[in-house]
Amino acid sequence: MRQAQERTAELLATAGIVLTDEERADIEVADFGLGQLETQGLELITYTNTDRYCAKDLVLFPGQTCPEHLHPPIDGQPGKMETFRCRRGRVLLYVEGEPASPIKAKIPAGSEPYYTVFHEIELLPGQQYTILPGVKHWFQGGEEGAIVSEFSSTSRDEFDVFTDSNIVR
């Protein structure tokens, strides 16, 4: 985990994103309980998460995939709405809609049944896309990885619904 945190901090620094010592120590390394960080995982730093909004930077190593999930309604409130803005590299984002054929991403081996949405959005630096509440989505870093800034309504990751029931958040 420490190695992934250091690698993440270095990637952010190469993109000109400065972290405080406290932020560097708080980099979250999420392997989703799968133990396959290099293929199914995500590194992130949360700058703020209040009852109204959230701001994060997401880091994907080359080919690393955040598994398919959605943000459900909670206590009568709509699920999280999030805008992804690519800062560095390339991110392949998949949402519900007309599927691409073939897709550019490589689904992690053995996890094929858990990926069900294939409408492809390719984000390069400066491009962004907004994911509406309740929409299934997944994303993968390109050959150089990716840094994505996420601006969203309140983040309650513990309520995310993953299509792979083996995932633990």
Side-chain angles (χ1 to χ4, degrees):
M1 180 170 99
R2 185 74 192 137
Q3 183 180 5
Q5 286 177 315
E6 291 172 5
R7 186 175 172 193
T8 298
E10 288 171 15
L11 287 170
L12 290 167
T14 63
I17 298 169
V18 177
L19 298 179
T20 66
D21 289 342
E22 183 179 341
E23 289 168 335
R24 286 176 66 100
D26 287 343
I27 293 171
E28 180 182 351
V29 177
D31 76 352
F32 304 102
L34 299 173
Q36 302 170 13
L37 184 63
E38 288 299 315
T39 57
Q40 294 192 86
L42 175 70
E43 295 71 37
L44 61 134
I45 182 74
T46 302
Y47 300 109
T48 188
N49 187 23
T50 72
D51 62 350
R52 296 191 58 187
Y53 65 94
C54 180
K56 302 177 181 181
D57 274 326
L58 313 176
V59 175
L60 295 157
F61 300 146
Q64 194 177 39
T65 304
C66 179
E68 185 176 286
H69 64 284
L70 62 85
H71 307 289
I74 301 166
D75 296 329
Q77 298 295 313
K80 179 170 80 167
M81 182 168 80
E82 55 193 340
T83 297
F84 285 176
R85 183 174 179 88
C86 184
R87 299 294 187 181
R88 180 181 183 275
R90 175 176 72 128
V91 65
L92 298 168
L93 170 64
Y94 296 89
V95 297
E96 296 175 38
E98 187 66 32
S101 181
I103 63 170
K104 294 176 183 171
K106 181 180 177 187
I107 296 174
S111 297
E112 295 86 354
Y114 306 118
Y115 290 82
T116 66
V117 298
F118 301 104
H119 181 75
E120 187 172 75
I121 296 128
E122 183 174 359
L123 297 175
L124 299 172
Q127 296 178 321
Q128 65 186 41
Y129 184 85
T130 298
I131 304 164
L132 297 176
V135 172
K136 282 185 193 173
H137 59 285
W138 61 280
F139 48 98
Q140 185 174 88
E143 53 281 341
E144 296 176 17
I147 296 174
V148 176
S149 291
E150 175 192 312
F151 309 97
S152 71
S153 50
T154 303
S155 182
R156 297 182 185 110
D157 293 338
E158 66 274 16
F159 294 108
D160 291 352
V161 176
F162 288 87
T163 52
D164 181 347
S165 61
N166 297 306
I167 290 178
V168 178
R169 188 73 172 107

